[in-house]
């Protein structure tokens, strides 16, 4: 098995979920009957430092910050690396171009999953960085799928709740219902066929696989499946 490297801390709740999901899914795939798990090295970074750099559009500094941590994981002996959040995938191509070790993209994995469901139009909710930038849209267009995001006021509301509640491990039923109302309106107005949970903490809030009769794509679970495929690849 290959050794997994994870850039964690983006945020901490999602990093915990990644570890648990990897172990859980590996158990499901393990045919030996023995408790054998992959080796995992986690580098938990300063989320607020990275968010600050992105907020100031200091993208080169943000790339260098993550590249240094990925290099540390490579020195620790990992075979590939994943970023345990959607937002830093804004810089995915730039980061990959500066490191030798392969990165596994959450966006590519999500696009393949959506394509397998024959979806043509997906709603996307996440941080403001994720919703307002084109890194999801550009990848999904390669798979002949469209991305729809909430309106500017809703984007601000979702982003506020992400950083003031969800990233702090606070999950309120009121916030969940507000998000569902936003998604429901997107379905009525734009005929979306699925929703991308573009924040890796969102699956901790939306536990069902579908709402309003359409799939809610759990990017953590989808990413973990791609991680395990890479881990077990000869």
């Amino acid at each position: 098995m290959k050794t997994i490297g994870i850039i964690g801390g983006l945020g901490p709740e999602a990093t915990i979920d990644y570890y648990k999901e990897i172990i859980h899914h590996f158990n499901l795939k393990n045919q030996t009957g023995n408790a054998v798990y992959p080796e995992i090295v986690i580098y938990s970074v300063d989320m607020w430092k990275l968010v600050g750099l992105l907020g100031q559009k200091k993208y080169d500094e943000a790339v260098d910050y993550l590249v240094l941590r990925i290099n540390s994981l490579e020195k620790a002996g990992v075979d590939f690396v994943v970023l345990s959040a959607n937002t830093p995938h804004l810089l995915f191509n730039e980061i990959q171009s500066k490191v030798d070790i392969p990165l596994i993209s959450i966006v590519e994995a999500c696009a393949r999953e959506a394509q397998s469901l024959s979806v043509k139009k997906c709603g996307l909710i996440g941080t403001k960085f994720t919703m307002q930038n084109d890194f999801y849209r550009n990848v999904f267009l390669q798979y002949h799928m469209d991305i729809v995001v909430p309106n500017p006021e809703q984007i601000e509301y979702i982003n506020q709740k992400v950083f003031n509640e969800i990233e702090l491990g606070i999950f309120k039923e009121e916030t969940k219902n507000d998000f569902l109302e936003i998604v429901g309106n997107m379905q009525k107005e734009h005929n979306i066929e699925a929703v991308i949970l573009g924040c890796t903490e969102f699956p901790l809030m939306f536990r069902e696989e579908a709402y309003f009769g359409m799939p809610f794509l759990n990017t953590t679970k989808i990413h973990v499946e791609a991680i395990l495929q890479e881990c077990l690849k000869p």
Side-chain angles (χ1 to χ4, degrees):
M1 288 184 291
K2 296 179 181 178
T3 299
I4 302 166
I6 299 176
I7 295 293
L10 302 167
E13 295 290 334
T15 305
I16 294 168
D17 198 34
Y18 262 79
Y19 182 81
K20 290 169 63 177
E21 285 291 326
I22 288 171
I23 298 304
H24 172 68
H25 283 271
F26 194 84
N27 274 336
L28 295 179
K29 290 180 179 293
N30 186 12
Q31 303 297 316
T32 67
N34 300 318
V36 180
Y37 302 111
E39 294 185 351
I40 304 170
V41 182
I42 300 173
Y43 195 129
S44 187
V45 304
D46 183 345
M47 178 183 72
W48 298 112
K49 179 178 177 65
L50 182 63
V51 169
L53 292 172
L54 295 177
Q56 298 172 63
K57 296 189 177 180
K58 294 182 178 180
Y59 296 141
D60 289 343
E61 289 185 38
V63 167
D64 290 342
Y65 178 74
L66 292 175
V67 164
L68 284 173
R69 277 74 192 164
I70 291 169
N71 288 340
S72 293
L73 287 173
E74 185 175 12
K75 290 175 183 176
V78 307
D79 295 295
F80 65 94
V81 173
V82 296
L83 309 172
S84 64
N86 287 270
T87 296
H89 282 73
L90 164 65
L91 307 171
F92 183 87
N93 292 334
E94 291 82 354
I95 295 168
Q96 181 65 90
S97 70
K98 291 193 171 187
V99 298
D100 296 325
I101 197 164
L103 308 180
I104 307 299
S105 167
I106 198 171
V107 183
E108 286 280 352
C110 188
R112 291 194 296 270
E113 178 67 18
Q115 186 183 55
S116 75
L117 298 173
S118 300
V119 169
K120 296 299 181 184
K121 187 181 289 188
C122 292
L124 171 65
I125 56 173
T127 67
K128 180 164 60 176
F129 304 110
T130 297
M131 293 183 284
Q132 289 184 335
N133 286 283
D134 289 334
F135 63 94
Y136 253 100
R137 181 172 287 105
N138 291 340
V139 171
F140 271 62
L141 281 175
Q142 295 174 21
Y143 289 82
H144 309 291
M145 292 179 285
D146 292 327
I147 292 289
V148 176
V149 298
N151 65 44
E153 182 180 343
Q154 292 167 339
I155 286 174
E156 291 294 338
Y157 176 76
I158 293 171
N159 189 71
Q160 177 194 10
K161 291 298 182 180
V162 167
F163 287 111
N164 292 341
E165 295 178 14
I166 296 170
E167 292 286 4
L168 304 177
I170 300 169
F171 301 96
K172 295 182 179 180
E173 194 68 20
E174 177 185 358
T175 300
K176 176 182 177 181
N177 291 335
D178 287 345
F179 284 12
L180 286 173
E181 182 178 352
I182 290 170
V183 168
N185 289 334
M186 292 169 68
Q187 186 183 42
K188 292 174 185 176
E189 295 174 11
H190 301 287
N191 298 314
I192 60 174
E193 303 163 272
V195 173
I196 301 164
L197 298 177
C199 173
T200 48
E201 277 80 20
F202 283 174
L204 301 173
M205 174 180 286
F206 299 103
R207 298 285 188 174
E208 303 297 324
E209 293 185 357
Y211 296 82
F212 306 115
M214 62 180 173
F216 272 44
L217 300 178
N218 179 337
T219 52
T220 301
K221 184 176 180 180
I222 291 167
H223 207 191
V224 165
E225 287 286 353
I227 291 167
L228 294 187
Q229 289 176 16
E230 184 66 25
C231 179
L232 297 172
K233 190 183 295 182

